[in-house]
Amino acid sequence: MLLQIPNILTKDQVAHCRRQLDEAEWVDGNVTSGPQAALAKKNMQLPEQSPVARALGEMILSALGRSPLFFAAALPARIYPPLFNRYRGGESFGNHIDNAVRTVPGSSVRVRTDLSATLFLSEPDEYEGGELIVEDLYGIHRIKLAAGHLVLYPASSVHRVTPVTRGTRLASFFWIQSMVRDDGERTLLFDLDRAVQQLAANAPDHPIVVQLTGVYHNLLRRWVDV
C-alpha cells in the first residue's frame, strides 16, 4: 500500500522546522547507509544525535500520534526516530531497498522496517527534480508533495530520489514496525476500517456497523504481532 497523508504538520510547524534546519550543521548522508546504499546516496543529513534532529523528531512523532489516518494505515508498534535529509546541487539517491532492521542509536531497541515514510518540508515549487520514485507491482509512482504532507509505502519497495537541479529539497524520513507485518493484510484492514468509518458516518445506528467492526477486530486479533 502506498498512501499520501496530508497535513501531518501545520504551516507553522513546517516553518519552525525550516528555521531550525537552516541553522543546523549537516553531515554526509551516508552516516546511516549500508554498503549498497552508500554507492547510490549523495545527499546531506542531520546527525542522529543532533539536538535539532531530536527536538524536531519528537514534534513529528507527536503529530503522527494525532493522525487517525496514519494509525489506521500503519498500525504502528514502533517508529524509528525521524531523520532529516537535504538535497541540492544535483544530489540524488539511486535505486535502493531499505534495510530490514534498524537499531535505534544508543539503545538495544530494534525496529523491523515494514513501512518507510517521507515527510516533505519543502514546497514543490521551491526545487526542481527531487521526486521520490517508488516501484511496486502496480508500476512506478512519482511523488512530490506539499510541505507538511507525508507518503507511506512498503520499505521492501525499490525507490529512489531524482537529482535536485534547482533549489533545496528538505524532508524527514523514518521507518515503522507495524503490528501487522504483512502488507497485504495491513491493506485489507485499512480498506475495511475506512469502509466501516464511512458506513458509521452515514448510518450510525445500522446493526451492520457493529458486525463489521467485529470482523475488523477479529482479523486484527488474528494477524497482529506484538
Side-chain angles (χ1 to χ4, degrees), residues 144-165:
K144 189 173 181 179
L145 303 182
H149 295 203
L150 177 141
V151 62
L152 195 63
Y153 56 98
S156 57
S157 303
V158 175
H159 55 284
R160 63 187 181 272
V161 176
T162 63
V164 173
T165 57

Side-chain angles (χ1 to χ4, degrees), residues 56-57 60 82-85 117-121 150 170-174:
L56 296 183
I60 290 170
L83 303 173
F84 299 84
N85 58 23
T118 297
L119 175 62
F120 290 79
L121 298 173
L150 177 141
L170 294 169
S172 175
F173 63 102
F174 50 94

Side-chain angles (χ1 to χ4, degrees), residues 76-144:
R78 291 176 175 170
I79 301 177
Y80 193 93
L83 303 173
F84 299 84
N85 58 23
R86 184 184 72 188
Y87 293 83
R88 63 186 182 187
E91 292 174 327
S92 64
F93 198 164
N95 277 345
H96 65 285
I97 295 175
D98 292 334
N99 291 350
V101 178
R102 293 271 179 174
T103 301
V104 177
S107 77
S108 60
V109 176
R110 293 183 176 87
V111 177
R112 187 184 66 237
T113 59
D114 298 320
L115 292 159
S116 296
T118 297
L119 175 62
F120 290 79
L121 298 173
S122 298
E123 296 294 352
D125 61 359
E126 292 186 86
Y127 59 98
E128 292 181 0
E131 293 176 302
L132 173 64
I133 310 295
V134 179
E135 300 181 17
D136 63 17
L137 293 174
Y138 303 100
I140 297 176
H141 308 272
R142 309 178 72 90
I143 304 150
K144 189 173 181 179

Side-chain angles (χ1 to χ4, degrees), residues 9 13 16-17 20-21 46-63 81-84 172:
L9 296 183
Q13 287 174 319
H16 174 72
C17 287
Q20 295 294 308
L21 296 176
L46 285 193
E48 292 189 66
Q49 302 299 335
S50 159
V52 172
R54 288 185 169 187
L56 296 183
E58 287 295 328
M59 183 182 74
I60 290 170
L61 291 175
S62 295
L83 303 173
F84 299 84
S172 175

